[in-house]
Amino acid sequence: LSSGINAEYGVDELRSKGVGKFMMQILELVGARAAMKKIMITVFKHNPRSVHFFKDILKYTDDETSPRYCDPLEEEEYCYEIMSKALRTMATGPKTDPAKEPVTLKSMCKASCCK
């Protein structure tokens, strides 16, 4: 069973403001709460900002279903890579200290309005 979310925003004023990172953190939290094993994304090779964002900032790695692994002899024919990030589900994740605040959307937000 597979479900997909296609989130695109192209408003230049929002670039490098943390909106994309925040959206992905929310997606990862929802995925963990829903006991998803991983999040998969498709990134165009010709978009170095996007590749940098997912690989270096969010720590996504090349997925086993990416063309470089599925069709290594014809890798250059593909203009995209498939990346993924494993999620720790809330049910099977590491034990937490009860004295610490539970992970919630509000606790993830760094804005002063959520403090």
Side-chain angles (χ1 to χ4, degrees), residues 96-109:
T96 58
D97 181 358
K100 291 184 178 177
E101 181 182 343
V103 176
T104 63
L105 292 178
K106 188 172 182 177
S107 69
M108 288 177 58
C109 182

Side-chain angles (χ1 to χ4, degrees), residues 77-109:
E77 288 187 22
Y78 298 92
C79 62
Y80 64 92
E81 291 290 344
I82 298 174
M83 297 180 189
S84 64
K85 184 176 186 179
L87 299 178
R88 289 183 287 174
T89 61
M90 297 298 188
T92 60
K95 297 191 188 296
T96 58
D97 181 358
K100 291 184 178 177
E101 181 182 343
V103 176
T104 63
L105 292 178
K106 188 172 182 177
S107 69
M108 288 177 58
C109 182

Side-chain angles (χ1 to χ4, degrees), residues 54-68:
F54 284 104
K55 277 192 173 186
D56 302 329
I57 307 295
L58 297 179
K59 307 302 182 198
Y60 278 69
T61 58
D62 294 331
D63 192 76
E64 67 226 17
T65 61
S66 194
R68 80 171 54 217

Side-chain angles (χ1 to χ4, degrees), residues 3 6 8-10 12-13 18 23 31 36 38 40 49 54 56-57 59 62 70 73-74 80 86 95-96 113:
S3 64
N6 185 5
E8 278 189 42
Y9 60 95
D12 288 335
E13 294 82 27
M23 288 173 51
M36 291 173 57
K38 66 181 176 180
M40 295 175 65
R49 285 182 68 143
F54 284 104
D56 302 329
I57 307 295
K59 307 302 182 198
D62 294 331
C70 295
L73 297 177
E74 304 296 331
Y80 64 92
K95 297 191 188 296
T96 58
C113 61

